[in-house]
Amino acid sequence: MKCLDRFNKKMNLQGGSLRNEKIRNSQKLLQETFADDASFRLGIYFWELGIVSYNEKETINIRLYNERYSSANGNTIKFQTLIDTPVAVGDILYDSEYERYYLCTESFNINGVHWQGKLVLCNWILKWQNKNGDILEYPCYDINSTQYNSGEMSNKQFTVGSSQHMITLPYDKNTVILSSPQRFFLDKNKDNPTSFIVTQNDSTSYNIGKKGIVKITLYECEKNNEKDRIDLGICDYIDKDSLATDNSDDILISKSVISYKTNVIKSGGDKQIFTGNFYDNSGNEIKDVSLKWNIICDFKNSLEVNQSDNQIQIGIDNDNYVDEEFKLILSDNDNNYSSSLIVKIESLL
């Protein structure tokens, strides 16, 4: 029997193989030399929701290298960890030396020897409240995805924002349920911050492993001066004390939302349908609310308007008003909770 045959037979009897032996040797060699590389970093932790101090947490052994910037992906950096320290897509790492956060967007197991992938530098802390009134703060990557406009829509009567942002967050039980009419502040201007509303939550395109990430599309919206807490950075603030002490059966309106397929009406075309809904502090829809619609423009009499239940249908058949805009306002009868939408008129042809 040849030496190689005897060696393979011995390895099989021990439950191993030549391949597994090479993998173990590679793991051991990398482990012994891992901290010697110039890219080895100290003070890196796995981020945990709600953790303020990481002094008592255990750091991870990681190499960070090849840092780059692009307008589409922001600041990215590659990583390498030992096989017993997997970093999954959706994990957030905290760099205590520079006090910044990284979100993992790519991760690969390299032949059972080590892990490597890509991290994106988080550039914003997204804040909101859950249905229990707890304030949540998530590091995220925010990109301004406004296209084909200056971030504003205007006509003779008014000017409103039309900015759009894309937020990348780790997937978990708190982020996967984010949907309209959830609003956030996205602005470093603490005196007059801009608010945004969720229009889409893509929780499937980046569903990788047990974690993954979600990409949330936000559209600029009006503030709610009665409910928003600019000092706390929270839209539609919920007072936890009132939740704990309120034993009544009354359902309080928290916000109003206009739903629609498109905010463009074609002159001479079909009427567009707009639906009004009201929600309580927990995000549940309130059905029995008397609502009213208001249209602001100087050609209101030229519009074809029909109302039924909580819907309004609007059309026009007059090319003189092509490229004009009007403002559609939804509110309850007491005008306490209102929302608005800019509707544009375009040519049918």
Side-chain angles (χ1 to χ4, degrees), residues 153 219 260-265 274 341-345:
M153 293 187 297
Y219 198 83
Y260 55 95
K261 291 183 178 179
T262 175
N263 66 333
V264 175
I265 295 177
F274 303 91
L341 174 71
I342 301 302
V343 182
K344 186 175 181 179
I345 300 173

Side-chain angles (χ1 to χ4, degrees), residues 12-26:
N12 289 330
L13 290 174
Q14 294 177 348
S17 65
L18 183 59
R19 176 181 180 276
N20 290 339
E21 187 68 18
K22 288 183 177 180
I23 290 175
R24 284 193 292 268
N25 290 338
S26 298

Side-chain angles (χ1 to χ4, degrees), residues 158-197:
F158 42 80
T159 300
V160 296
S162 62
S163 298
Q164 182 173 290
H165 282 240
M166 178 77 74
I167 302 292
T168 305
L169 287 163
Y171 165 87
D172 65 17
K173 64 179 182 180
N174 296 315
T175 61
V176 72
I177 61 174
L178 292 174
S179 59
S180 182
Q182 178 68 56
R183 295 191 303 120
F184 308 96
F185 282 127
L186 285 182
D187 204 330
K188 294 186 72 173
N189 182 349
K190 302 301 182 182
D191 296 325
N192 186 29
T194 305
S195 60
F196 290 78
I197 189 170

